[in-house]
């Protein structure tokens, strides 16, 4: 029997669904075939009529239709005042549908930062939350203790949007029954135990503290331009986007979209600093040693970097 | 049959849309279009850093995030009164147009044509062919569309780092400096896409199709050879005509374009009117084209879940105060109701083509009026206009040229950025004070198209387009689906 997926969109922009269409080797259609997955419902890609959708939901709730993987895209919206009326489905709060479906799924995957941690709107009046986390705090919509019927917590795949190859990887791991070691935010270590900074083509500039004060050049964006690469975990500069590049490679400072507290509550594209040194240093680094290392590195910087001669 | 009300949650639109219609003796007698999600972006932005719109607003929509970025960047260009260098404008356009053409074809063949496989058409002689082409996840065109559009958007990633949700446009230009090989790659990717589009979608060269300037030409083209007849466009024409989709979904006949794709000062591309845009601005009301004036834009909330105010407000004065009444008042949507000079205007590729003076589209409308058929056709053939222009612009970019003029710190001012997303007119209105966002209002294309009633009770364009539609089977109101989808609705945008 095929494995089944139900894809639910909540407080979402559709970006993660668009990511589905960008999956590489294998692409989404090949992947579904290889893993023998049937998509019972996807709001943008299915063509069944509304009455089919209603009976599908009934069948899932009654247990008649088994559900292997529930993918949730977008935050659970609880506002105003906990009613959930900012996001409804056929007149009822969408959050109730989430609450119902999670009980029947063997695995629940939070696709993207909003579904994982609340993301956009988690500080706002819509009272957005992630499925099992609200920002860095465990709990979220389902509570810290929640487990699926097969004993798994919600698997968080942050990223705004989530990298489609990470999604493909998780779907495969679940289908092959492989263990999925998770970090403290319930994200798979496989993809979230590396920094965005790793693999950025500006690394050499970073190394010698050749830093840009403005957009449009080749140097590193950490000291002045607000790059979150050395603080944010995710595979952007390993897997790359659309097979080609990444934001930091082409010169957009990393905005930390995989972080539990994305979007940060201070301005983007500006590093908060004291006397020219960032307040937040690369994750886990000792401040005093870092300062010493950086001043030596700057002194050692080769001319070719200072003159921005080395291509990126 | 007597009068009855049916509610239709619509899938295959980006986000949450519920349509409800009154059906009177098999004919839609009234309609309501309801956006069922509120995300509060206009308020999330308040108090944030001046540049934060560049990061936050693309997240409104995963399918047209580049267009939000364009509007946000242009609004800030206006705040700091800086004109980006011509090559930056070129690159912004190239990326935005690439987003348009992938979106158009994905919509047409992954979302619109899927309805051709609906059980309602099971008895049609065209059904089997429709299934072969458009069955979800399996149809030949579906498979190819996924593969080819995915390659096309590599162009966006080469220049902008990723798709969706990059922030590579900034006030003063773009952050990246595309190299010669980057541009070469873009060219090759576009050529590949052109080849596929010509072969599969239209069955002829772009140049051949451009010769078509009338309905008679189109009919002759269709019959001319097998490759035209068998192309997806050929099938589209055969199917939609056979099912009468050229007779439903007319609407108000008011069409709006803000003008889009700024012409770089040194390009050999000419706009079709004496304007600084490739896609000219204008408003059509009863056939005459009026000059567009952004001060005539207002938003109403009488039927929207926001605190009431008199009449409409210009987005510089607009406010977003949600008021969730559920079903207890006349309010029924999270979308506000934008109006132009008081009119419920339709926007999108159709409006753009009419206002640009596209002869084929003009003739189709003169013969039979606006319909589902012509609205979606405009979307499918827009690539024919855009691809050669993207090619020219890629070849005009000087690599390692000048892509950014620093505007310095943004402290204070106001401005607006108007552009077109794939679905039509998009605007951001922003005020900055002390380096922070003081005011941010956004009007999206689908807010125009899927708008609820305004203060005068006038229906929005989709609602109006539904009225008068015959519905064969109320348990499967496929006609309603066709009409709504012909607007390529993007509800996540609408209910930002
Ligand atoms: S730009 Fe960001 S990700 Fe790249 S090297 Fe600098 S700090 Fe690291």
């Amino acid at each position: 029997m095929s494995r089944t997926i139900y894809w639910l969109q909540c407080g979402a922009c559709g970006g993660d669904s668009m990511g589905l269409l960008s999956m590489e080797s294998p692409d989404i259609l090949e992947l579904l075939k290889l893993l023998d997955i049937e998509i019972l419902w996807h709001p943008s890609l299915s063509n069944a009529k509304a009455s089919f959708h209603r009976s599908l939901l009934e069948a899932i709730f009654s247990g008649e239709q088994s559900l292997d993987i529930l993918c949730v895209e977008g935050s659970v919206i609880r506002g105003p005042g906990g009613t959930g009326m900012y996001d409804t489905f056929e007149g009822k709060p969408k959050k109730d549908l989430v609450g119902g479906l999670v009980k029947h799924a063997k695995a629940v995957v939070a696709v993207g930062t909003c579904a994982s941690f609340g993301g956009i709107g988690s500080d706002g009046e819509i009272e957005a939350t992630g499925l099992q986390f609200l920002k860095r705090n465990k709990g979220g919509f389902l509570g810290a203790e929640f487990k699926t019927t097969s004993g798994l917590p919600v698997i968080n795949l942050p990223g705004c949007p989530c990298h489609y190859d990470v999604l493909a990887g998780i779907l495969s791991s679940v289908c092959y029954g492989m263990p999925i070691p998770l970090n403290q935010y319930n994200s798979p270590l496989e993809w979230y135990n590396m920094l965005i900074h790793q693999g950025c083509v500006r690394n050499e500039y970073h190394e010698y503290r050749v830093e840009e004060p403005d957009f449009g050049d080749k140097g590193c964006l950490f000291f002045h331009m607000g790059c979150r690469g050395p603080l944010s975990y995710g595979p952007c500069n390993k897997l790359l986007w659309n097979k080609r590049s990444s934001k930091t490679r082409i010169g957009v400072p990393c905005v930390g979209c995989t972080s539990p507290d994305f979007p940060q509550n201070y301005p983007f594209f500006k590093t908060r600093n004291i006397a020219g040194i960032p307040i937040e240093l690369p994750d886990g680094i000792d401040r005093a040693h870092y300062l010493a290392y950086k001043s030596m590195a700057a002194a050692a910087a080769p001319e070719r970097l200072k003159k921005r001669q080395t291509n990126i | 049959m007597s009068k009855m009300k049916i509610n239709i949650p619509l899938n295959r639109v980006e986000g949450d849309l519920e349509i409800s219609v009154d059906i009177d003796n098999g004919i839609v007698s009234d309609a309501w279009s309801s956006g069922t999600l509120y995300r509060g972006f206009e308020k999330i932005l308040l108090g944030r850093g001046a540049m934060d719109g560049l990061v936050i607003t693309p997240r409104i929509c995963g399918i047209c995030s580049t267009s939000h970025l364009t509007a946000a960047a242009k609004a800030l260009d206006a705040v700091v009164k800086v004109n980006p260098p011509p090559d930056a404008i070129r690159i912004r356009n190239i990326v935005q147009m690439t987003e348009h053409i992938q979106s158009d074809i994905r919509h047409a063949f992954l979302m619109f044509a899927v309805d051709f496989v609906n059980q309602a058409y099971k008895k049609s002689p065209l059904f089997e062919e429709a299934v072969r082409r458009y069955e979800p996840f399996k149809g030949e065109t579906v498979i190819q569309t996924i593969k080819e559009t995915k390659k096309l958007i590599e162009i966006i990633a080469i220049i902008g780092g990723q798709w969706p949700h990059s922030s590579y446009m900034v006030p003063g230009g773009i952050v990246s400096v595309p190299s010669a090989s980057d541009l070469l790659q873009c060219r090759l990717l576009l050529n590949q896409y052109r080849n596929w589009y010509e072969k599969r979608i239209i069955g002829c060269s772009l140049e051949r199709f451009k010769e078509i300037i009338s309905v008679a030409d189109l009919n002759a083209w269709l019959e001319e050879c097998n490759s035209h007849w068998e192309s997806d466009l050929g099938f589209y024409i055969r199917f939609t005509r056979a099912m009468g989709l050229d007779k439903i979904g007319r609407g108000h006949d008011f069409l709006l374009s803000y003008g889009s794709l700024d012409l770089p000062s040194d390009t050999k591309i000419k706009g079709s009117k004496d304007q600084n845009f490739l896609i000219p601005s204008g408003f059509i009301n009863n056939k005459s084209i009026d000059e567009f004036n952004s001060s005539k834009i207002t938003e109403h909330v009488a039927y929207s879940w926001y605190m009431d105010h008199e009449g409409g407000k210009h987005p510089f004065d607009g406010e977003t105060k949600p008021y969730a009444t559920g079903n207890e008042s006349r309010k029924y949507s999270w979308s506000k109701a934008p109006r132009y000079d008081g009119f419920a205007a339709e926007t999108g590729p159709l409006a753009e083509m009419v206002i640009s003076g596209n002869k084929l589209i003009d003739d189709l409308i003169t013969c039979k009026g606006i319909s589902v058929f012509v609205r979606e056709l405009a979307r499918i053939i827009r690539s024919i206009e855009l691809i050669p222009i993207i090619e020219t612009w890629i070849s005009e970019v000087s690599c390692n040229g000048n892509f950014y003029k620093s505007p310095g710190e943004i402290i204070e001012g106001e401005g607006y950025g108007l552009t077109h997303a794939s679905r039509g007119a998009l605007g951001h209105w922003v005020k900055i004070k002390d380096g922070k966002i003081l005011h941010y209002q956004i009007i999206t294309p689908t807010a125009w198209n899927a708008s609820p009633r305004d203060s005068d009770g006038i229906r929005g364009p989709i609602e109006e387009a539904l009225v008068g539609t015959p519905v064969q089977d109320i348990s499967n109101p496929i006609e309603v689906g066709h009409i709504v989808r012909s607007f390529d609705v993007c509800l996540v945008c609408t209910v930002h």
Side-chain angles (χ1 to χ4, degrees):
Chain A
M1 210 175 56
S2 298
R3 296 188 185 82
T4 54
I5 291 187
Y6 181 100
W7 186 289
L8 182 66
Q9 267 175 355
C10 295
C13 70
D16 299 295
S17 286
M18 285 299 115
L20 274 181
L21 300 179
S22 291
M23 261 178 207
E24 286 300 337
S25 344
D27 70 31
I28 177 69
L29 301 174
E30 291 157 352
L31 184 80
L32 295 177
K33 227 184 276 165
L34 289 172
L35 297 176
D36 190 19
I37 292 177
E38 183 195 351
I39 298 202
L40 297 172
W41 179 261
H42 183 289
S44 315
L45 301 172
S46 301
N47 81 330
K49 52 189 184 178
S51 55
F52 165 82
H53 188 210
R54 285 183 206 116
S55 42
L56 171 68
L57 287 172
E58 271 164 37
I60 294 174
F61 289 140
S62 72
E64 198 182 310
Q65 170 68 57
S66 79
L67 176 60
D68 291 291
I69 305 174
L70 172 68
C71 291
V72 179
E73 172 181 15
S75 58
V76 180
I77 293 184
R78 297 176 298 180
T83 62
M85 290 306 282
Y86 283 153
D87 184 13
T88 58
F89 174 69
E90 302 201 321
K92 294 189 206 76
K94 183 78 79 60
K95 71 182 173 73
D96 294 355
L97 184 58
V98 181
L101 282 167
V102 293
K103 291 192 198 120
H104 298 277
K106 295 197 187 96
V108 178
V109 181
V111 189
T113 299
C114 293
S116 301
F117 306 126
I120 302 273
S122 50
D123 285 325
E125 62 195 341
I126 61 171
E127 300 163 40
T129 179
L131 286 173
Q132 210 171 6
F133 276 82
L134 174 55
K135 300 199 168 184
R136 293 191 188 272
N137 302 318
K138 205 162 182 186
F141 178 62
L142 298 172
E145 303 308 318
F146 172 83
K147 292 256 159 52
T148 65
T149 52
S150 57
L152 295 167
V154 174
I155 300 168
N156 288 330
L157 305 182
C160 188
C162 161
H163 197 289
Y164 41 80
D165 284 340
V166 171
L167 177 61
I170 269 301
L171 295 180
S172 321
S173 310
V174 171
C175 290
Y176 288 134
M178 290 178 25
I180 305 169
L182 302 176
N183 69 10
Q184 58 178 324
Y185 300 114
N186 287 358
S187 303
L189 286 166
E190 177 72 30
W191 300 283
Y192 296 94
N193 195 21
M194 68 183 71
L195 290 161
I196 306 297
H197 172 71
Q198 292 174 251
C200 176
V201 290
R202 292 163 195 264
N203 272 180
E204 218 205 0
Y205 287 91
H206 178 90
E207 209 175 319
Y208 294 101
R209 201 181 146 179
V210 177
E211 295 280 343
E212 298 302 350
D214 203 343
F215 295 115
D217 219 328
K218 300 190 182 89
C220 175
L221 308 166
F222 182 59
F223 267 59
H224 312 291
M225 301 304 290
C227 184
R228 307 286 299 167
L231 290 144
S232 309
Y233 286 87
C236 294
N237 272 314
K238 178 184 177 188
L239 298 179
L240 300 182
W241 283 88
N242 317 91
K243 289 202 304 202
R244 292 288 178 170
S245 196
S246 73
K247 292 203 285 303
T248 64
R249 285 187 170 200
I250 64 100
V252 179
C254 168
V255 296
C257 75
T258 54
S259 297
D261 30 28
F262 177 78
Q264 64 196 36
N265 54 18
Y266 42 91
F268 290 105
F269 305 146
K270 218 182 262 175
T271 306
R272 296 182 301 168
N273 65 65
I274 297 170
I277 305 293
I279 293 177
E280 291 174 278
L281 297 178
D283 198 31
I285 270 182
D286 174 82
R287 192 164 194 93
H289 285 112
Y290 185 72
L291 295 186
Y293 148 63
K294 274 291 153 176
S295 58
M296 281 169 69
E303 283 300 301
R304 62 181 170 81
L305 293 182
K306 287 201 248 174
K307 293 195 173 134
R308 314 295 194 271
Q309 282 163 343
T310 299
N311 280 349
I312 48 168
Chain B
M1 212 189 331
S2 61
K3 190 165 160 163
M4 62 191 305
K5 195 179 208 65
I6 51 174
N7 295 317
I8 312 159
L10 275 176
N11 59 312
R12 249 170 315 116
V13 297
E14 278 296 298
D16 303 61
L17 174 67
E18 289 178 14
I19 296 285
S20 115
V21 292
D22 275 350
I23 297 193
D24 205 345
N25 284 313
I27 308 270
V28 174
S29 58
D30 208 345
W32 294 264
S33 154
S34 166
T36 60
L37 165 68
Y38 169 73
R39 292 195 293 152
F41 272 82
E42 289 159 343
K43 292 177 79 178
I44 289 169
L45 286 157
L46 300 184
R48 300 194 65 106
M51 304 268 275
D52 283 12
L54 303 170
V55 178
I56 302 289
T57 66
R59 267 93 191 167
I60 289 173
C61 179
I63 196 160
C64 57
S65 68
T66 304
S67 301
H68 279 286
L69 179 62
T70 307
K74 286 187 74 178
L76 292 178
D77 286 343
V79 170
V80 290
K81 302 189 178 60
V82 52
N83 287 323
D87 271 337
I89 293 177
R90 253 183 220 101
I91 295 278
R92 285 183 181 186
N93 291 348
I94 291 166
V95 174
Q96 215 184 340
M97 292 155 87
T98 305
E99 182 173 88
H100 289 348
I101 59 180
Q102 64 85 21
S103 176
D104 288 348
I105 298 308
R106 281 184 176 177
H107 176 265
F109 300 113
L110 302 183
M111 295 179 190
F112 182 86
V114 181
D115 279 337
F116 299 173
V117 187
N118 189 284
Q119 293 303 313
Y121 300 120
K122 210 165 178 177
K123 298 210 179 79
S124 156
L126 293 172
F127 186 72
E128 221 171 283
E129 193 178 346
V131 172
R132 179 160 58 74
R133 291 170 188 263
Y134 307 123
E135 191 184 355
F137 307 110
K138 298 196 185 99
E140 286 166 10
T141 310
V142 169
I143 293 173
Q144 290 196 18
T145 299
I146 290 177
K147 286 192 194 301
E148 300 296 330
T149 54
K150 181 173 78 168
K151 276 193 261 169
L152 182 68
I153 53 182
E154 289 177 32
I155 293 177
I156 306 180
I158 289 171
I159 291 169
Q162 73 178 60
W163 188 89
H165 293 348
S166 184
S167 302
Y168 80 97
M169 286 185 222
V170 291
I174 61 166
V175 303
S176 58
V177 182
S179 70
S181 83
D182 290 340
L183 293 165
L184 201 60
Q185 287 290 311
C186 293
R187 232 189 230 206
L188 293 172
L189 287 163
L190 187 65
N191 284 351
Q192 264 187 321
Y193 187 78
R194 179 205 252 254
N195 291 343
W196 173 73
Y197 178 89
E198 291 181 330
K199 185 157 178 256
R200 175 85 203 181
I201 303 296
I202 61 174
C204 66
S205 69
L206 306 184
E207 291 71 21
R208 166 66 186 93
F209 198 88
K210 274 196 183 179
E211 292 165 10
I212 301 172
I213 54 169
S214 66
V215 178
D217 287 354
L218 184 67
N219 294 341
W221 171 87
L222 181 62
E223 309 271 351
E224 189 177 277
C225 62
N226 228 6
S227 71
H228 299 174
W229 183 262
E230 296 292 332
S231 68
D232 278 286
L233 180 61
F235 184 74
Y236 172 83
I237 297 170
R238 290 186 277 133
F239 189 94
T240 48
R241 282 181 174 166
M243 305 310 163
L245 304 190
D246 51 350
K247 297 187 195 74
I248 58 171
R250 176 159 187 163
H252 286 296
D253 282 357
F254 305 137
L255 301 173
L256 176 68
S257 165
Y258 290 167
S260 152
L261 303 168
D262 299 16
L263 294 174
S265 53
D266 55 358
T267 181
K268 57 172 183 266
I269 300 287
K270 300 258 175 307
S272 57
K273 298 261 158 62
D274 243 0
Q275 295 182 6
N276 261 339
F277 306 114
L278 178 69
I279 308 294
S281 65
F283 173 66
I284 297 199
N285 168 11
N286 296 327
K287 288 245 138 195
S288 72
I289 303 188
D290 296 347
E291 208 172 297
F292 166 74
N293 178 345
S294 73
S295 66
K296 292 185 178 170
I297 299 170
T298 55
E299 282 196 297
H300 296 237
V301 295
Y303 288 82
S304 312
W305 281 308
Y306 299 94
M307 297 290 248
D308 274 319
H309 56 66
E310 279 287 300
K313 287 195 175 185
H314 184 270
F316 266 138
D317 308 316
E319 48 190 41
T320 301
K321 294 186 181 156
Y323 186 53
T325 61
N327 298 329
E328 280 156 29
S329 72
R330 64 178 176 178
K331 295 180 182 294
Y332 62 90
S333 180
W334 286 113
S335 173
K336 295 180 188 172
R339 294 294 181 262
Y340 181 78
D341 205 10
F343 294 100
E346 166 178 347
T347 184
L350 176 68
E352 289 173 20
M353 284 203 184
V354 175
I355 291 165
S356 307
N358 181 292
K359 294 205 177 76
L360 169 62
I361 296 286
D362 250 2
D363 197 37
L364 284 162
I365 294 179
T366 310
C367 292
K368 282 197 165 170
I370 292 175
S371 63
V372 166
F373 163 70
V374 66
R375 192 178 285 120
E376 190 67 22
L377 178 76
R379 187 166 295 116
I380 299 172
I381 64 176
R382 170 157 63 169
S383 303
I384 295 168
E385 301 293 328
L386 295 189
I387 289 173
I389 296 173
I390 310 179
E391 287 169 348
T392 305
W393 276 338
I394 294 179
S395 70
E396 281 181 4
V397 175
S398 47
C399 52
N400 303 316
N402 182 10
F403 297 96
Y404 177 61
K405 186 152 74 196
S406 179
E409 189 114 9
I410 305 176
I411 306 294
E412 189 150 340
E414 60 178 58
Y416 57 92
L418 303 183
T419 184
H420 274 215
S422 309
R423 291 148 189 77
L426 169 68
H428 289 196
W429 284 259
V430 58
K431 293 182 194 169
I432 307 286
K433 200 168 178 238
D434 300 331
K436 295 201 168 113
I437 296 171
L438 180 70
H439 177 95
Y440 213 111
Q441 289 283 309
I442 299 156
I443 304 183
T444 64
T446 303
W448 284 101
N449 291 334
S451 134
R453 287 151 170 73
D454 58 31
S455 314
D456 297 324
I458 306 293
R459 286 186 280 261
I462 289 181
E463 296 176 336
E464 184 67 22
L466 287 167
V467 173
T469 307
V471 173
Q472 301 288 338
D473 171 6
I474 54 164
S475 73
N476 182 20
I478 186 70
E479 301 85 349
V480 172
H482 288 312
I483 293 174
V484 175
R485 289 196 186 99
S486 71
F487 285 86
D488 190 0
V489 284
C490 174
L491 254 289
V492 290
C493 265
T494 311
V495 296
H496 52 272

